[in-house]
């Protein structure tokens, strides 16, 4: 089922699907939360990541799409089998459609200041 939701052609969905097919583990939350709450939390996380020299793939766009969606969303994660990549999923309240996804390399290593 999750593979079908990741059928988009954007870079983040393509990576998420390839990760899933290569033996990744994943989970999807049971409860939905307000879209605005998720958008606010992950906008803050994006700002903190950027301050530390990290640029997560698709997170800025995901925050925008979740905010535009406006309805409650469920979150999930896909973690690569080798633990080098993680994908954050935002799904519709019933889990039937992907609203957005973002990803980043693990571990999150902060770059030293210049």
């Amino acid at each position: 089922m999750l593979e079908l939701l990741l059928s988009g052609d954007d870079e983040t969905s393509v990576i998420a699907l390839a990760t899933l097919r290569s033996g990744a583990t994943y989970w999807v939350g049971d409860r939905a939360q307000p879209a605005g709450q998720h958008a606010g939390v992950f906008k803050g996380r994006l700002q903190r990541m950027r301050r530390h020299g990290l640029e997560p793939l698709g997170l800025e766009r995901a925050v925008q799409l979740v905010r535009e969606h406006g309805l409650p969303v469920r979150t999930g994660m896909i973690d690569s089998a080798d633990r080098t990549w993680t994908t954050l999923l935002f799904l519709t309240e019933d889990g039937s459609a992907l609203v957005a996804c973002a990803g980043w390399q693990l571990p999150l290593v902060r770059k030293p200041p210049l």
Side-chain angles (χ1 to χ4, degrees), residues 57-84:
L57 182 63
L59 187 54
E60 183 173 10
R61 177 80 175 133
V63 167
Q64 177 185 350
L65 290 172
V66 168
R67 191 175 304 282
E68 289 173 3
H69 178 68
L71 300 171
V73 293
R74 295 165 75 176
T75 56
M77 300 290 284
I78 301 171
D79 294 315
S80 65
D82 64 3
R83 309 294 290 165
T84 61

mmCIF file of all heavy atoms in Angstrom, residues 57-84:
data_model
loop_
_atom_site.group_PDB
_atom_site.id
_atom_site.type_symbol
_atom_site.label_atom_id
_atom_site.label_comp_id
_atom_site.label_asym_id
_atom_site.label_seq_id
_atom_site.Cartn_x
_atom_site.Cartn_y
_atom_site.Cartn_z
ATOM 1 N N LEU A 57 16.101 17.275 2.044
ATOM 2 C CA LEU A 57 15.490 17.212 0.722
ATOM 3 C C LEU A 57 13.971 17.338 0.824
ATOM 4 O O LEU A 57 13.318 16.509 1.458
ATOM 5 C CB LEU A 57 15.863 15.888 0.052
ATOM 6 C CG LEU A 57 15.345 15.660 -1.359
ATOM 7 C CD1 LEU A 57 15.926 16.701 -2.321
ATOM 8 C CD2 LEU A 57 15.713 14.261 -1.824
ATOM 9 N N GLY A 58 13.420 18.382 0.244
ATOM 10 C CA GLY A 58 11.976 18.530 0.139
ATOM 11 C C GLY A 58 11.238 18.999 1.376
ATOM 12 O O GLY A 58 10.014 19.113 1.354
ATOM 13 N N LEU A 59 11.941 19.319 2.469
ATOM 14 C CA LEU A 59 11.218 19.681 3.695
ATOM 15 C C LEU A 59 10.522 21.031 3.573
ATOM 16 O O LEU A 59 9.392 21.192 4.034
ATOM 17 C CB LEU A 59 12.139 19.657 4.911
ATOM 18 C CG LEU A 59 11.460 19.860 6.268
ATOM 19 C CD1 LEU A 59 10.324 18.870 6.486
ATOM 20 C CD2 LEU A 59 12.482 19.747 7.394
ATOM 21 N N GLU A 60 11.152 21.992 2.940
ATOM 22 C CA GLU A 60 10.501 23.297 2.771
ATOM 23 C C GLU A 60 9.205 23.137 1.966
ATOM 24 O O GLU A 60 8.157 23.661 2.336
ATOM 25 C CB GLU A 60 11.441 24.279 2.080
ATOM 26 C CG GLU A 60 10.848 25.663 1.937
ATOM 27 C CD GLU A 60 11.850 26.679 1.412
ATOM 28 O OE1 GLU A 60 12.956 26.307 0.971
ATOM 29 O OE2 GLU A 60 11.512 27.872 1.457
ATOM 30 N N ARG A 61 9.265 22.384 0.895
ATOM 31 C CA ARG A 61 8.075 22.144 0.062
ATOM 32 C C ARG A 61 7.029 21.349 0.841
ATOM 33 O O ARG A 61 5.830 21.609 0.737
ATOM 34 C CB ARG A 61 8.472 21.396 -1.211
ATOM 35 C CG ARG A 61 7.325 21.043 -2.110
ATOM 36 C CD ARG A 61 6.886 22.224 -2.942
ATOM 37 N NE ARG A 61 5.853 21.790 -3.879
ATOM 38 C CZ ARG A 61 4.731 22.446 -4.075
ATOM 39 N NH1 ARG A 61 4.499 23.572 -3.449
ATOM 40 N NH2 ARG A 61 3.840 22.002 -4.922
ATOM 41 N N ALA A 62 7.457 20.369 1.621
ATOM 42 C CA ALA A 62 6.523 19.561 2.410
ATOM 43 C C ALA A 62 5.756 20.432 3.400
ATOM 44 O O ALA A 62 4.540 20.290 3.552
ATOM 45 C CB ALA A 62 7.262 18.437 3.132
ATOM 46 N N VAL A 63 6.455 21.336 4.067
ATOM 47 C CA VAL A 63 5.793 22.241 5.015
ATOM 48 C C VAL A 63 4.735 23.066 4.288
ATOM 49 O O VAL A 63 3.606 23.227 4.768
ATOM 50 C CB VAL A 63 6.833 23.141 5.729
ATOM 51 C CG1 VAL A 63 6.165 24.283 6.477
ATOM 52 C CG2 VAL A 63 7.689 22.316 6.669
ATOM 53 N N GLN A 64 5.087 23.559 3.120
ATOM 54 C CA GLN A 64 4.142 24.355 2.321
ATOM 55 C C GLN A 64 2.926 23.520 1.923
ATOM 56 O O GLN A 64 1.781 23.966 2.054
ATOM 57 C CB GLN A 64 4.850 24.888 1.075
ATOM 58 C CG GLN A 64 3.948 25.661 0.144
ATOM 59 C CD GLN A 64 4.672 26.068 -1.141
ATOM 60 O OE1 GLN A 64 5.890 25.934 -1.274
ATOM 61 N NE2 GLN A 64 3.917 26.565 -2.093
ATOM 62 N N LEU A 65 3.147 22.298 1.455
ATOM 63 C CA LEU A 65 2.043 21.445 1.017
ATOM 64 C C LEU A 65 1.129 21.040 2.179
ATOM 65 O O LEU A 65 -0.098 20.989 2.021
ATOM 66 C CB LEU A 65 2.577 20.201 0.309
ATOM 67 C CG LEU A 65 3.216 20.436 -1.052
ATOM 68 C CD1 LEU A 65 3.873 19.156 -1.559
ATOM 69 C CD2 LEU A 65 2.190 20.955 -2.050
ATOM 70 N N VAL A 66 1.717 20.773 3.326
ATOM 71 C CA VAL A 66 0.910 20.418 4.501
ATOM 72 C C VAL A 66 0.056 21.608 4.911
ATOM 73 O O VAL A 66 -1.138 21.469 5.197
ATOM 74 C CB VAL A 66 1.810 19.939 5.660
ATOM 75 C CG1 VAL A 66 1.037 19.859 6.966
ATOM 76 C CG2 VAL A 66 2.425 18.591 5.316
ATOM 77 N N ARG A 67 0.651 22.798 4.923
ATOM 78 C CA ARG A 67 -0.103 24.002 5.278
ATOM 79 C C ARG A 67 -1.246 24.226 4.283
ATOM 80 O O ARG A 67 -2.377 24.519 4.673
ATOM 81 C CB ARG A 67 0.823 25.214 5.318
ATOM 82 C CG ARG A 67 0.159 26.439 5.929
ATOM 83 C CD ARG A 67 1.117 27.612 6.072
ATOM 84 N NE ARG A 67 2.314 27.343 6.821
ATOM 85 C CZ ARG A 67 2.410 27.278 8.143
ATOM 86 N NH1 ARG A 67 1.342 27.435 8.882
ATOM 87 N NH2 ARG A 67 3.570 27.042 8.733
ATOM 88 N N GLU A 68 -0.976 24.075 2.986
ATOM 89 C CA GLU A 68 -2.006 24.251 1.958
ATOM 90 C C GLU A 68 -3.095 23.182 2.068
ATOM 91 O O GLU A 68 -4.259 23.460 1.802
ATOM 92 C CB GLU A 68 -1.387 24.211 0.567
ATOM 93 C CG GLU A 68 -0.547 25.425 0.244
ATOM 94 C CD GLU A 68 0.208 25.292 -1.070
ATOM 95 O OE1 GLU A 68 0.048 24.273 -1.786
ATOM 96 O OE2 GLU A 68 0.993 26.213 -1.381
ATOM 97 N N HIS A 69 -2.720 21.981 2.454
ATOM 98 C CA HIS A 69 -3.679 20.883 2.609
ATOM 99 C C HIS A 69 -4.747 21.275 3.633
ATOM 100 O O HIS A 69 -5.938 21.042 3.427
ATOM 101 C CB HIS A 69 -2.946 19.604 3.021
ATOM 102 C CG HIS A 69 -3.803 18.429 3.252
ATOM 103 N ND1 HIS A 69 -4.491 17.795 2.232
ATOM 104 C CD2 HIS A 69 -4.098 17.748 4.391
ATOM 105 C CE1 HIS A 69 -5.175 16.781 2.739
ATOM 106 N NE2 HIS A 69 -4.946 16.733 4.053
ATOM 107 N N GLY A 70 -4.308 21.859 4.732
ATOM 108 C CA GLY A 70 -5.216 22.423 5.713
ATOM 109 C C GLY A 70 -5.994 21.458 6.588
ATOM 110 O O GLY A 70 -6.555 21.856 7.590
ATOM 111 N N LEU A 71 -6.037 20.207 6.232
ATOM 112 C CA LEU A 71 -6.761 19.195 7.000
ATOM 113 C C LEU A 71 -5.779 18.398 7.848
ATOM 114 O O LEU A 71 -4.577 18.376 7.567
ATOM 115 C CB LEU A 71 -7.516 18.259 6.054
ATOM 116 C CG LEU A 71 -8.561 18.922 5.154
ATOM 117 C CD1 LEU A 71 -9.077 17.931 4.119
ATOM 118 C CD2 LEU A 71 -9.693 19.502 5.976
ATOM 119 N N PRO A 72 -6.265 17.705 8.872
ATOM 120 C CA PRO A 72 -5.358 16.898 9.695
ATOM 121 C C PRO A 72 -4.560 15.898 8.850
ATOM 122 O O PRO A 72 -5.053 15.384 7.848
ATOM 123 C CB PRO A 72 -6.300 16.170 10.653
ATOM 124 C CG PRO A 72 -7.489 17.064 10.757
ATOM 125 C CD PRO A 72 -7.640 17.650 9.368
ATOM 126 N N VAL A 73 -3.321 15.673 9.270
ATOM 127 C CA VAL A 73 -2.446 14.727 8.576
ATOM 128 C C VAL A 73 -1.833 13.755 9.580
ATOM 129 O O VAL A 73 -1.678 14.062 10.755
ATOM 130 C CB VAL A 73 -1.314 15.434 7.790
ATOM 131 C CG1 VAL A 73 -1.861 16.226 6.627
ATOM 132 C CG2 VAL A 73 -0.491 16.338 8.694
ATOM 133 N N ARG A 74 -1.515 12.584 9.068
ATOM 134 C CA ARG A 74 -0.783 11.565 9.835
ATOM 135 C C ARG A 74 0.660 11.614 9.375
ATOM 136 O O ARG A 74 0.945 11.900 8.218
ATOM 137 C CB ARG A 74 -1.345 10.177 9.536
ATOM 138 C CG ARG A 74 -2.766 10.007 10.010
ATOM 139 C CD ARG A 74 -3.418 8.803 9.392
ATOM 140 N NE ARG A 74 -2.933 7.578 10.002
ATOM 141 C CZ ARG A 74 -3.402 6.379 9.685
ATOM 142 N NH1 ARG A 74 -4.333 6.233 8.763
ATOM 143 N NH2 ARG A 74 -2.937 5.312 10.291
ATOM 144 N N THR A 75 1.566 11.314 10.273
ATOM 145 C CA THR A 75 2.972 11.273 9.890
ATOM 146 C C THR A 75 3.472 9.835 9.911
ATOM 147 O O THR A 75 2.880 8.958 10.545
ATOM 148 C CB THR A 75 3.846 12.112 10.848
ATOM 149 O OG1 THR A 75 3.645 11.659 12.174
ATOM 150 C CG2 THR A 75 3.535 13.586 10.738
ATOM 151 N N GLY A 76 4.552 9.631 9.216
ATOM 152 C CA GLY A 76 5.220 8.340 9.194
ATOM 153 C C GLY A 76 6.677 8.549 8.851
ATOM 154 O O GLY A 76 7.097 9.649 8.494
ATOM 155 N N MET A 77 7.448 7.495 8.973
ATOM 156 C CA MET A 77 8.875 7.535 8.667
ATOM 157 C C MET A 77 9.273 6.264 7.927
ATOM 158 O O MET A 77 8.739 5.190 8.212
ATOM 159 C CB MET A 77 9.716 7.623 9.941
ATOM 160 C CG MET A 77 9.474 8.829 10.817
ATOM 161 S SD MET A 77 10.046 10.384 10.128
ATOM 162 C CE MET A 77 11.795 10.258 10.390
ATOM 163 N N ILE A 78 10.207 6.418 7.013
ATOM 164 C CA ILE A 78 10.847 5.289 6.354
ATOM 165 C C ILE A 78 12.337 5.407 6.675
ATOM 166 O O ILE A 78 12.948 6.436 6.392
ATOM 167 C CB ILE A 78 10.652 5.321 4.826
ATOM 168 C CG1 ILE A 78 9.170 5.293 4.455
ATOM 169 C CG2 ILE A 78 11.403 4.165 4.163
ATOM 170 C CD1 ILE A 78 8.907 5.536 2.972
ATOM 171 N N ASP A 79 12.904 4.383 7.271
ATOM 172 C CA ASP A 79 14.330 4.377 7.609
ATOM 173 C C ASP A 79 15.037 3.315 6.787
ATOM 174 O O ASP A 79 14.662 2.138 6.826
ATOM 175 C CB ASP A 79 14.528 4.085 9.098
ATOM 176 C CG ASP A 79 13.969 5.195 9.973
ATOM 177 O OD1 ASP A 79 14.220 6.372 9.658
ATOM 178 O OD2 ASP A 79 13.276 4.890 10.963
ATOM 179 N N SER A 80 16.069 3.736 6.067
ATOM 180 C CA SER A 80 16.794 2.792 5.215
ATOM 181 C C SER A 80 17.384 1.662 6.053
ATOM 182 O O SER A 80 17.692 1.836 7.234
ATOM 183 C CB SER A 80 17.890 3.507 4.427
ATOM 184 O OG SER A 80 18.876 4.012 5.286
ATOM 185 N N ALA A 81 17.543 0.517 5.412
ATOM 186 C CA ALA A 81 18.067 -0.667 6.101
ATOM 187 C C ALA A 81 19.461 -0.417 6.661
ATOM 188 O O ALA A 81 19.805 -0.923 7.727
ATOM 189 C CB ALA A 81 18.084 -1.861 5.147
ATOM 190 N N ASP A 82 20.259 0.388 5.975
ATOM 191 C CA ASP A 82 21.618 0.664 6.451
ATOM 192 C C ASP A 82 21.688 1.892 7.371
ATOM 193 O O ASP A 82 22.764 2.324 7.758
ATOM 194 C CB ASP A 82 22.585 0.821 5.279
ATOM 195 C CG ASP A 82 22.266 2.011 4.386
ATOM 196 O OD1 ASP A 82 21.304 2.778 4.688
ATOM 197 O OD2 ASP A 82 22.980 2.188 3.382
ATOM 198 N N ARG A 83 20.520 2.460 7.697
ATOM 199 C CA ARG A 83 20.382 3.597 8.623
ATOM 200 C C ARG A 83 21.139 4.839 8.151
ATOM 201 O O ARG A 83 21.637 5.623 8.954
ATOM 202 C CB ARG A 83 20.846 3.222 10.037
ATOM 203 C CG ARG A 83 20.236 1.960 10.604
ATOM 204 C CD ARG A 83 18.770 2.046 10.862
ATOM 205 N NE ARG A 83 18.516 2.935 11.986
ATOM 206 C CZ ARG A 83 17.335 3.433 12.276
ATOM 207 N NH1 ARG A 83 16.313 3.130 11.560
ATOM 208 N NH2 ARG A 83 17.188 4.239 13.290
ATOM 209 N N THR A 84 21.214 5.058 6.823
ATOM 210 C CA THR A 84 21.880 6.243 6.295
ATOM 211 C C THR A 84 20.904 7.274 5.751
ATOM 212 O O THR A 84 21.318 8.369 5.372
ATOM 213 C CB THR A 84 22.865 5.872 5.168
ATOM 214 O OG1 THR A 84 22.138 5.258 4.103
ATOM 215 C CG2 THR A 84 23.966 4.953 5.676
#
